[in-house]
Amino acid sequence: MPTRPAASVTTLLTCTALALTGAAAALGTATPAEARQNAAQPTAQQLLSDFNHYVLIRNDELALANARALLDRGMEPTEFVALIEDAGRESERFEDAIRRAMVVPALENAAGELFKMFEQGKLDRARDPNEIAQNIQFLIQNPRARLLAAERLRAAGEYAVPQLLQVLIARSNPALETEVQRVLISMGADAVAPLSAALLDVDAITQERLARILGYLGSRAALPYLASLRENAGSEAAAAAAREAMGRITENPGSIRAIAPLYLD
């Protein structure tokens, strides 16, 4: 089994000294020796790598020391996500290490805090308007970028719908519009309320598209809005789409959803 004795000594020393050196620095009384100690502290990236390593080799003491040192850095959740995702292979190792650590009594609490920070960071980042705009553009990049972008947009949920809707309204990129429709359908219930509310505030072509999407989603919550569109649509095509969507929802709700992307043009 691989060991890292030098890293073990360094980690123990630095993690043990964190509270003392931090307190001294806060009081403005750090000595030159303490300043050198601070300069020698491991980076967050090193702490992450050591946490992963010690969890996997079941050195619970050092795994806990590194987890606590990471938490004591006071990183914002989005910073922590960036740290994980910028770590290359360590990103996959972190997810594996977290799963293992969560079932070890000595590590469960610290691992839970790290996992909570990671999940919160992903959610916060997904809801950021700039992230949403970037992920929408990634929908027409390479397959991996497209899959990741769709996943992040689904995580953003209703926060992403206004920008996705703008793509359909603009009608400037047919390929992107198709991917946006796929994402909206995959969002399920998160897309129903904002799309329903927008039905009467968009042009007739977009009304027709939104009605079709709501029909594929199959939520009865959309029925009052579709009924209103049926009576007040900007075109006969939009009114027909509203009637068709209502028929899908009331006659066989949910049956179209799984194959809906295949029918989008």
Side-chain angles (χ1 to χ4, degrees):
M1 180 177 296
T3 58
R4 292 158 64 172
S8 302
V9 173
T10 301
T11 304
L12 280 175
L13 290 174
T14 54
C15 291
T16 302
L18 283 176
L20 293 175
T21 56
L27 294 171
T29 59
T31 66
E34 288 166 342
R36 288 192 296 273
Q37 176 72 41
N38 287 335
Q41 288 179 7
T43 65
Q45 193 70 64
Q46 290 169 329
L47 292 172
L48 172 66
S49 178
D50 284 347
F51 168 75
N52 293 340
H53 174 74
Y54 291 122
V55 168
L56 297 178
I57 68 170
R58 284 306 308 272
N59 188 327
D60 297 347
E61 182 180 5
L62 286 178
L64 180 60
N66 280 280
R68 284 298 170 198
L70 272 172
L71 291 166
D72 289 345
R73 289 293 172 105
M75 287 183 286
E76 293 293 326
T78 51
E79 292 179 294
F80 187 58
V81 170
L83 172 70
I84 302 297
E85 295 192 346
D86 290 345
R89 185 169 176 270
E90 292 296 336
S91 176
E92 296 179 8
R93 295 184 69 204
F94 172 75
E95 295 185 19
D96 185 27
I98 283 292
R99 283 194 296 269
R100 293 170 182 254
M102 292 281 280
V103 297
V104 177
L107 300 176
E108 181 181 1
N109 290 339
E113 291 181 54
L114 289 174
F115 181 71
K116 182 179 179 181
M117 181 162 60
F118 183 57
E119 290 297 303
Q120 185 62 51
K122 288 196 297 183
L123 185 60
D124 290 346
R125 192 177 64 175
R127 290 175 173 177
D128 179 79
N130 293 328
E131 276 293 317
I132 291 170
Q134 185 176 55
N135 283 319
I136 289 174
Q137 293 306 312
F138 284 159
L139 289 174
I140 50 174
Q141 301 300 318
N142 62 72
R144 174 170 172 75
R146 185 162 60 247
L147 287 172
L148 289 173
E151 180 182 340
R152 289 168 180 169
L153 290 167
R154 282 193 294 271
E158 62 185 79
Y159 291 85
V161 173
Q163 289 193 54
L164 291 167
L165 179 57
Q166 286 304 312
V167 173
L168 300 183
I169 293 172
R171 293 196 293 280
S172 60
N173 188 326
L176 182 58
E177 292 162 41
T178 296
E179 294 303 324
V180 162
Q181 289 178 105
R182 294 179 193 273
V183 169
L184 286 169
I185 290 171
S186 72
M187 283 182 174
D190 284 341
V192 172
L195 293 184
S196 296
L199 272 176
L200 294 180
D201 295 327
V202 294
D203 62 272
I205 294 176
T206 308
Q207 285 178 339
E208 182 181 355
R209 286 185 166 187
L210 297 189
R212 292 180 65 197
I213 292 171
L214 288 168
Y216 292 139
L217 287 170
S219 172
R220 298 184 69 85
L223 287 174
Y225 300 91
L226 289 167
S228 182
L229 177 63
R230 180 187 59 190
E231 303 302 322
N232 302 285
S235 70
E236 177 52 37
R243 288 193 294 271
E244 181 182 354
M246 292 177 70
R248 283 200 177 109
I249 293 170
T250 57
E251 293 174 13
N252 200 11
S255 64
I256 306 296
R257 185 170 173 181
I259 59 172
L262 301 177
Y263 292 87
L264 294 173
D265 53 27

